[in-house]
Amino acid sequence: MKIVAIVQARMGSTRLPNKVMMPIKDVPMIELLLKRLSRARKLDQIVLATSVSAANEPMVLHVRNLGYVCVQGSENDVLDRFVQAASEVAADVVVRITGDCPLVDPVLVDECVDRFLSSDVDYFSNISPPTYPDGLDIEVVRVDALKQAMRESTKAFDHEHVTPYVRESGVFRVGNMGYERDLSGLRWTVDELADLELIRGVFGHFHPEIHFGWQQVLDLQHSRPELFDGNKHLIRNEGASMGTGQKLWKRAKQIIPGGNMLLSKRAEMFLPDLWPAYFSKVEGCAVWDLDGNRYLDLSIMGVGTNILGYAHPEVDDAVRGAIAAGNMSTFNCPEEVYLAEKLIELHPWADMVRFARSGGEANAIAVRIARAASGRDKVAICGYHGWHDWYLSANLGDDDSLDGHLLPGLEPRGVPRNLRGTVFPFNYNNYAELEALVNAHDIGVIKMEVVRNKGPEDNFLQKIRKLATDRGIVLIFDECTSGFRETFGGLHKKYGIEPDMAMFGKALGNGYAITATIGRREVMEAAQSTFISSTFWTERIGPTAALKTLEVMERVRAWDTITDTGTQIRKRWQALADKYRLPINHWGLPALTGYSFESKDALAYKTYVTQEMLAKGFLASNCVYVSTAHTPEVVDAYFEALDGIFAVIRECEDGRDMQTLLKGPICHSGFKRLN
Ligand code: PMP
């Protein structure tokens, strides 16, 4: 009977890429593991089983140079890889070891093999249930049993994790070896950087000896517990239940502050620890995660970028055309002129246009031009974020503002001191407040959104227009989010109020980066007197996408469709809330519609909605950024799924414990209108 240890390892780990080749005291982790394992007396051979991928070549080369056989098989069907490796070396019994466990102890391996041989079973391990520290996992299994599992199980999980079918199907005889105490809470395996540091500390302690036993490591943990503190927050076998996206998100947070570039797309804003977080492809309102699961997006739809739905065929074709002809050159792209003309046609009060690629940039450009035009530095901005370098100084305390993201009264950092005295926030629908600011300071610019969560009251916009005109102030409407949602162009067209400047973003390119700052000639010409210039504001994809987006929007009258759909969604939320006697309130434009539960547990309920809707195949929080891809069928399916969830929330209002229903932490509170 030939007994072979098969060590599975690959370079492409999601949470810690290349971990098996990472050095521990200058020796790659996999080499240490193999050398330690070689001391096991019951093994006839040790084989490394990895996948066919160029990324694994450095490891394969290294391990072969050490004299070990290396077999390359399937990337995801690890069970198949094992069967293949076992066949290649004519093994009868396999000892499964994973490459991320360099502390696995040869003495324990021998013990496990002995117990396997003496107990007439198909499978014997020390993990079912686990009592040894995580990182000492040993599984001994007959090759025949693996082959049978191969034939009988179609579940991807069984194939990825090799032994679940043998262990749990009830078809096989299984045995387990337990330790006298339960030490399964100790974590000596390597999934993340914190784990690797711990293992480095252990090898560092015994250096240059590498053949220390697991009991010695346990003693070390007692005598020097601080060496083992770094990975306490990590959970045993978390990887098996975590999706690829969640693993990648954990990795991202180590190397990208906050994990990504936009607060609203952080996993914690939706479903901490459980949100798939990353997409592999999109179409219409469907999104696929990294594991191939498909969801319908009834949440923020790319943060409001895709009014025409994701991957719109006509827009994408236009972009492909730009790529085919080339995106960049020393010459300018003609599309920017055509797009400027189109935006002026839609907004006859405007005469000139500047482009950028993000809303923040468009805001900065607008304010800069407006300051130059008015000759005055001081800017009154309406609540919300200013979206320029110094926007943190607009940390208002109202319920639409930063909602706890900055502690009240905290001095914003990174805001140049000399700018703090130049930005004066005022609240929406509070004309008197603005007038007082204008009277007290030499305000040159007013920048605001046309509508925020509620519409204008008491001729708010008319009064501001008059004030700005009378005092020679440049009035800027930030339409980055509101543009194209209710009219073909700025929302100000609906109210008949013309600003001096306006910015568009988000939906303008239907998912491609393009933003515009438009304005009256006398104001815009001030751009000449100040340096506003950037390389990538000249690329071709942005304006190309925008031209096609505007053409399609105009043809299908997208703003009407999304306003109707959003109005329907709002009504149906209310109907569902009434059905289950749950008080809710509504906010946002119809096409950016949102609701909140009026309950002390509102945030827990929102998290629960997201959790349960995700399980039913929907991305959902408590707002919908409506797109033309949200057809009546999609909306019907969404409400059908939501009904039972509201029913459970009713039960919780009546005393059922919501905490027991949540599988992870409660989501972070966001802005009432996200992003
Ligand atoms: N202006 C408004 C009104 C916004 O809502 C946002 C962001 N959602 C921005 C500007 C900033 O746009 P961006 O995220 O593209 O920089």
Side-chain angles (χ1 to χ4, degrees):
M1 181 182 290
K2 185 170 180 186
I3 301 175
V4 176
I6 298 184
V7 179
Q8 71 176 77
R10 64 190 173 104
M11 301 282 281
S13 147
T14 309
R15 280 174 287 178
L16 188 60
N18 306 341
K19 65 181 175 185
V20 288
M21 284 298 282
M22 284 186 174
I24 296 172
K25 286 274 172 207
D26 295 334
V27 183
M29 185 166 103
I30 192 73
E31 181 177 335
L32 287 172
L33 186 156
L34 293 169
K35 285 192 166 151
R36 284 169 53 85
L37 194 59
S38 301
R39 293 265 171 124
R41 298 210 194 96
K42 305 285 173 181
L43 299 176
D44 296 310
Q45 193 176 357
I46 297 173
V47 172
L48 186 91
T50 188
S51 61
V52 191
S53 150
N56 291 322
E57 287 312 319
M59 174 183 67
V60 169
L61 207 67
H62 188 80
V63 168
R64 285 197 175 133
N65 278 339
L66 293 171
Y68 295 93
V69 169
C70 200
V71 176
Q72 289 181 270
S74 164
E75 171 86 18
N76 295 320
D77 191 341
V78 189
L79 175 55
D80 183 69
R81 208 198 294 170
F82 265 69
V83 170
Q84 183 193 334
S87 304
E88 285 192 26
V89 297
D92 302 299
V93 172
V94 158
V95 179
R96 176 176 179 240
I97 304 288
T98 51
D100 49 14
C101 296
L103 292 185
V104 74
D105 184 330
V107 176
L108 216 51
V109 170
D110 283 343
E111 198 181 333
C112 233
V113 173
D114 273 339
R115 300 274 302 264
F116 167 82
L117 293 172
S118 63
S119 54
D120 191 28
V121 291
D122 302 301
Y123 171 93
F124 191 91
S125 79
N126 66 348
I127 62 159
S128 184
T131 46
Y132 288 88
D134 189 4
L136 299 183
D137 297 2
I138 301 159
E139 297 176 276
V140 189
V141 58
R142 282 185 207 286
V143 174
D144 285 345
L146 289 180
K147 287 183 177 163
Q148 192 176 334
M150 231 357 242
R151 288 192 303 273
E152 292 179 4
S153 172
T154 51
K155 279 201 216 145
F157 188 86
D158 291 343
H159 285 257
E160 186 184 339
H161 299 284
V162 186
T163 54
Y165 185 78
V166 176
R167 222 173 336 140
E168 287 157 14
S169 61
V171 175
F172 301 94
R173 292 161 300 164
V174 302
N176 189 61
M177 162 172 115
Y179 187 60
E180 61 201 40
R181 281 179 290 143
D182 181 5
L183 301 176
S184 60
L186 305 181
R187 186 179 163 89
W188 300 352
T189 182
V190 180
D191 284 326
E192 304 197 13
L193 205 55
D195 299 319
L196 183 67
E197 294 305 334
L198 185 154
I199 298 292
R200 282 180 170 151
V202 171
F203 276 94
H205 174 81
F206 291 105
H207 188 73
E209 180 57 79
I210 64 162
H211 296 290
F212 45 88
W214 80 273
Q215 302 270 11
Q216 287 173 275
V217 181
L218 191 62
D219 290 343
L220 181 64
Q221 178 138 23
H222 287 136
S223 61
R224 304 239 349 242
E226 75 283 357
L227 278 180
F228 295 80
D229 276 349
N231 70 354
K232 282 214 167 113
H233 56 291
L234 305 174
I235 301 162
R236 185 175 183 121
N237 284 341
E238 183 185 52
S241 59
M242 260 175 126
T244 308
Q246 292 143 38
K247 290 181 192 169
L248 192 60
W249 179 246
K250 285 192 99 171
R251 195 167 117 204
K253 283 193 287 187
Q254 306 282 329
I255 51 172
I256 300 174
N260 69 0
M261 274 40 75
L262 185 75
L263 187 71
S264 305
K265 287 195 187 181
R266 293 188 187 165
E268 292 76 18
M269 301 300 282
F270 293 91
L271 199 59
D273 297 348
L274 298 165
W275 192 240
Y278 295 89
F279 76 102
S280 53
K281 64 170 182 169
V282 284
E283 187 187 317
C285 64
V287 179
W288 283 258
D289 70 12
L290 297 189
D291 297 314
N293 300 308
R294 176 179 182 269
Y295 306 96
L296 291 178
D297 192 343
L298 277 287
S299 65
I300 58 176
M301 276 299 287
V303 204
T305 46
N306 287 69
I307 284 182
L308 301 176
Y310 294 131
H312 190 276
E314 286 175 76
V315 178
D316 284 3
D317 273 348
V319 167
R320 274 187 284 269
I323 295 170
N327 186 48
M328 246 305 172
S329 108
T330 302
F331 281 163
N332 302 285
C333 70
E335 289 81 2
E336 64 192 27
V337 187
Y338 312 146
L339 181 60
E341 284 168 351
K342 183 71 189 173
L343 289 170
I344 291 167
E345 177 197 318
L346 298 183
H347 304 93
W349 58 266
D351 310 290
M352 300 186 100
V353 184
R354 269 304 196 111
F355 295 110
R357 292 297 177 276
S358 84
E361 290 170 345
N363 269 264
I365 291 169
V367 170
R368 190 146 172 189
I369 294 177
R371 279 178 161 154
S374 72
R376 281 171 275 164
D377 274 347
K378 291 181 179 164
V379 183
I381 70 167
C382 184
Y384 214 51
H385 335 291
W387 302 109
H388 12 77
D389 317 331
W390 33 263
Y391 78 89
L392 285 180
S393 57
N395 181 17
L396 284 186
D398 73 13
D399 70 346
D400 296 325
S401 68
L402 289 167
D403 264 3
H405 286 283
L406 266 188
L407 298 174
L410 191 78
E411 270 284 283
R413 296 185 185 190
V415 179
R417 223 158 251 292
N418 60 356
L419 283 182
R420 289 183 205 163
T422 64
V423 182
F424 300 88
F426 64 98
N427 284 289
Y428 195 82
N429 274 336
N430 191 338
Y431 177 74
E433 191 181 13
L434 172 64
E435 196 177 31
L437 281 181
V438 169
N439 287 336
H441 308 280
D442 193 16
I443 300 281
V445 182
I446 298 172
K447 186 175 81 68
M448 61 185 297
E449 287 189 81
V450 178
V451 166
R452 292 154 43 86
N453 291 328
K454 286 182 237 103
E457 287 160 11
D458 192 20
N459 291 325
F460 185 55
L461 297 175
Q462 282 84 348
K463 286 182 188 161
I464 292 179
R465 176 66 274 180
K466 182 167 186 319
L467 179 72
T469 307
D470 291 350
R471 309 286 180 100
I473 295 171
V474 177
L475 176 61
I476 308 175
F477 284 163
D478 178 356
E479 297 261 20
C480 281
T481 288
S482 56
F484 303 98
R485 311 246 176 220
E486 265 189 79
T487 69
F488 189 34
L491 184 56
H492 62 267
K493 289 167 75 169
K494 172 175 162 179
Y495 295 96
I497 305 292
E498 293 176 348
D500 303 304
M501 300 179 85
M503 293 82 78
F504 297 94
K506 301 275 188 188
L508 185 56
N510 205 57
Y512 292 96
I514 180 75
T515 57
T517 302
I518 71 175
R520 298 186 203 281
R521 181 175 309 278
E522 13 358 319
V523 175
M524 292 296 283
E525 275 181 341
Q528 301 291 68
S529 65
T530 170
F531 189 74
I532 300 175
S533 175
S534 177
T535 306
F536 281 116
W537 291 344
T538 69
E539 61 82 46
R540 190 179 209 171
I541 288 177
T544 304
L547 280 168
K548 187 52 80 174
T549 300
L550 294 181
E551 180 193 316
V552 178
M553 275 183 180
E554 188 165 23
R555 189 179 76 225
V556 303
R557 296 184 64 85
W559 59 94
D560 283 344
T561 314
I562 61 175
T563 295
D564 284 353
T565 307
T567 307
Q568 283 300 319
I569 290 174
R570 181 176 295 190
K571 277 192 194 135
R572 291 177 73 170
W573 276 333
Q574 189 57 53
L576 210 55
D578 291 345
K579 178 173 169 190
Y580 292 106
R581 291 174 290 110
L582 293 168
I584 62 171
N585 59 59
H586 300 271
W587 36 271
L589 299 176
L592 300 171
T593 185
Y595 72 98
S596 305
F597 292 104
E598 287 174 21
S599 162
K600 64 177 183 7
D601 294 322
L603 216 48
Y605 294 165
K606 178 181 163 194
T607 312
Y608 181 68
V609 167
T610 305
Q611 170 185 300
E612 295 303 301
M613 289 299 278
L614 190 71
K616 293 169 189 244
F618 292 90
L619 303 187
S621 60
N622 63 345
C623 65
V624 179
Y625 279 35
V626 186
S627 82
T628 55
H630 291 118
T631 59
E633 297 74 47
V634 168
V635 175
D636 284 350
Y638 167 80
F639 277 99
E640 200 174 304
L642 200 59
D643 189 296
I645 297 167
F646 270 47
V648 173
I649 292 174
R650 172 73 258 159
E651 288 173 24
C652 293
E653 284 288 277
D654 293 336
R656 186 168 174 186
D657 186 1
M658 173 50 74
Q659 280 305 331
T660 62
L661 300 172
L662 291 177
K663 297 180 185 137
I666 292 177
C667 68
H668 293 188
S669 77
F671 313 116
K672 204 175 232 176
R673 201 203 69 202
L674 282 163
N675 67 70

